[in-house]
């Protein structure tokens, strides 16, 4: 039985498989934007909420329906001129729970998300005065770890890597076109708008990146990146996911930065079975009707069993259970989808 948590602009919903149909519970957090889901080391689920009036919150649940708020969500230190706009992602690193936020920063919790400390080494990086937002804001939206290293993707700044448990961080964007550097101009250290980031859990230095400027691969932990777009209708998009068992990659191309909808109205995921060297439309089941909708950068999730689900900005959910060979559009419709989590 599969269950899917869906975070939207107006609350969260729990979908539970029930025969050929789905039971929908919710909305939870009515009136709040729900932006991220995660899990503590003890197995409790966490959800991030946001409000223009009440700020951000972190909530915990044992059953996915009843949620209790943390007394102390991530906040910038007193006197900071930064605004805590949104929690974009949660990530487990050993016993710690990490949160990437906007305005861009990384926070760490040692008590399952009840209290949080800023990761000053990244948040006050020497390049900080050169960080600037993309269209989605200045956001730390992806955290990866493995083999003693951590990576954080920040838009519109780039990827940072730490090899010393977060004590120091290095920009890792060689090979990525800068957002606003003229051809032949001097490359800056930061200013690379990463949208999505994935890696091989067994070989974490093998990485894939969906960027504002295209799709790229690295085999050395981000030291160097190479473009990999053969077979894609466009290089723009926000989704990059890799199945840990088979190595299959999935991405969802959009036309361009100026027109963030599927190319020619054809909503398709694309898949690669050769580490991104070539891409093709992923399977069958796609709608023949024009689909002019987007997929946001945290509105997808996959599991080890071959399940992958993504939500659109028009509130629809698409699901595959076989790594993209066949797809179905779920019948329920939601507000604009910001986060998806397959929980069982």
């Amino acid at each position: 039985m599969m269950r899917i948590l869906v975070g939207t602009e107006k609350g969260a919903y729990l979908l539970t498989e029930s025969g050929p149909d789905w039971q929908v519970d919710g909305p939870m957090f009515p009136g709040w934007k729900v932006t991220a889901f995660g899990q503590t080391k003890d197995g409790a689920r966490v959800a991030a909420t946001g409000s223009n009036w009440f700020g951000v919150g972190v909530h915990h649940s044992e059953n996915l329906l009843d949620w209790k708020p943390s007394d102390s969500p991530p906040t910038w230190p007193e006197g900071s001129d930064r605004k805590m706009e949104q929690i974009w992602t949660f990530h487990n690193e050993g016993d710690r729970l990490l949160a990437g936020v906007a305005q861009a920063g990384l926070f760490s919790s040692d008590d399952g998300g009840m209290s949080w400390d800023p990761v000053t080494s990244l948040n006050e990086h020497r390049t900080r005065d050169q960080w600037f937002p993309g269209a989605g804001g200045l956001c730390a939206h992806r955290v990866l770890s493995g083999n003693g290293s951590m990576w954080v993707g920040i838009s519109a700044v780039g990827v940072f890597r730490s090899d010393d448990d977060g004590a120091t961080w290095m920009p890792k964007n060689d090979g990525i076109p800068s957002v606003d550097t003229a051809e032949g101009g001097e490359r800056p250290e930061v200013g690379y708008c990463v949208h999505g980031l994935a890696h091989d859990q067994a070989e974490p230095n093998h990485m894939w990146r969906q960027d504002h400027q295209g799709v790229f691969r690295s085999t050395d932990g981000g030291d160097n990146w190479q473009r990999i777009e053969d077979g894609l209708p466009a290089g723009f998009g926000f989704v990059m996911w890799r199945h840990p068992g088979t190595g299959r990659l999935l991405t969802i191309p959009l036309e361009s930065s100026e027109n963030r909808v599927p190319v020619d109205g054809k909503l398709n995921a694309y898949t690669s079975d050769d580490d991104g060297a070539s891409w093709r439309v992923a399977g069958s089941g796609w709608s023949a009707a024009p689909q002019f909708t987007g997929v946001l950068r945290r509105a997808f999730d996959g599991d080890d069993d071959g399940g992958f689900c993504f939500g659109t900005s028009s509130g629809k959910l698409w699901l595959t259970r076989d790594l993209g060979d066949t797809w179905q559009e779920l019948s329920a419709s939601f507000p604009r989808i910001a986060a998806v989590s397959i929980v069982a």
Side-chain angles (χ1 to χ4, degrees):
M1 178 184 69
M2 180 179 285
R3 294 182 294 174
I4 304 171
L5 279 168
V6 181
T8 80
E9 295 280 349
K10 298 183 182 297
Y13 300 82
L14 175 65
L15 279 69
T16 303
E17 191 174 11
S18 178
D21 300 315
W22 293 82
Q23 175 184 324
V24 179
D25 291 296
M28 299 165 281
F29 319 109
W32 290 70
K33 183 178 180 180
V34 180
T35 59
F37 298 108
Q39 188 172 16
T40 71
K41 64 178 181 180
D42 298 323
R45 297 287 172 172
V46 292
T49 59
S51 163
N52 291 335
W53 294 274
F54 303 111
V56 305
V58 176
H59 303 256
H60 296 71
S61 179
E62 301 290 343
N63 63 8
L64 303 179
L65 293 173
D66 302 306
W67 298 82
K68 296 181 179 180
S70 164
D71 293 331
S72 181
T75 57
W76 289 109
E78 187 175 353
S80 173
D81 61 355
R82 297 171 195 160
K83 182 180 179 181
M84 186 60 65
E85 297 172 341
Q86 178 175 314
I87 298 172
W88 276 89
T89 190
F90 294 109
H91 176 75
N92 297 96
E93 169 58 18
D95 291 337
R96 292 178 295 172
L97 183 63
L98 299 171
V101 308
Q103 295 170 347
L106 187 65
F107 285 75
S108 175
S109 175
D110 293 319
D111 55 11
M114 293 298 179
S115 62
W116 297 85
D117 295 309
V119 181
T120 305
S121 55
L122 180 61
N123 299 347
E124 309 303 331
H125 195 268
R126 58 181 173 77
T127 61
R128 179 84 198 201
D129 62 353
Q130 303 169 49
W131 297 11
F132 60 88
L138 182 60
C139 52
H141 56 80
R142 186 64 164 162
V143 183
L144 298 174
S145 60
N147 283 2
S149 295
M150 286 191 291
W151 294 262
V152 177
I154 302 176
S155 179
V157 183
V159 170
F160 289 82
R161 189 181 80 207
S162 175
D163 299 323
D164 52 15
D165 198 32
T168 60
W169 297 84
M170 302 163 288
K172 293 295 176 182
N173 304 287
D174 284 354
I176 306 295
S178 173
V179 175
D180 60 358
T181 299
E183 186 175 352
E186 183 178 353
R187 284 179 55 84
E189 283 192 277
V190 295
Y192 305 91
C193 192
V194 57
H195 289 173
L197 195 64
H199 70 173
D200 181 345
Q201 294 180 16
E203 296 286 347
N205 283 335
H206 292 188
M207 312 188 74
W208 294 266
R209 174 171 173 164
Q210 169 65 69
D211 233 69
H212 194 97
Q213 304 288 80
V215 182
F216 302 86
R217 176 179 60 204
S218 173
T219 58
D220 52 18
D223 287 339
N224 298 278
W225 296 90
Q226 298 83 37
R227 190 180 292 272
I228 49 164
E229 297 174 3
D230 183 24
L232 293 177
F236 190 85
F238 294 94
V239 175
M240 183 58 66
W241 180 77
R242 183 184 188 276
H243 183 252
T246 65
R248 174 169 285 187
L249 295 164
L250 285 171
T251 190
I252 302 172
L254 302 178
E255 184 174 304
S256 67
S257 174
E258 296 76 22
N259 195 30
R260 302 181 179 198
V261 296
V263 179
D264 297 327
K266 297 178 181 179
L267 177 62
N268 297 126
Y270 278 70
T271 188
S272 174
D273 290 315
D274 53 14
D275 288 344
S278 63
W279 299 85
R280 65 184 186 279
V281 173
S284 61
W286 301 107
S287 173
Q291 304 284 313
F292 296 102
T293 187
V295 182
L296 304 181
R297 71 187 77 213
R298 301 306 302 139
F300 69 92
D301 192 28
D303 63 23
D304 292 353
D305 297 325
F308 181 86
C309 181
F310 70 88
T312 71
S313 55
S314 59
K316 300 299 294 186
L317 286 169
W318 286 85
L319 173 68
T320 178
R321 301 171 185 273
D322 51 18
L323 280 175
D325 289 339
T326 56
W327 294 83
Q328 65 177 127
E329 181 184 11
L330 303 190
S331 59
S333 184
F334 301 95
R336 178 182 173 95
I337 296 173
V340 170
S341 178
I342 298 176
V343 294

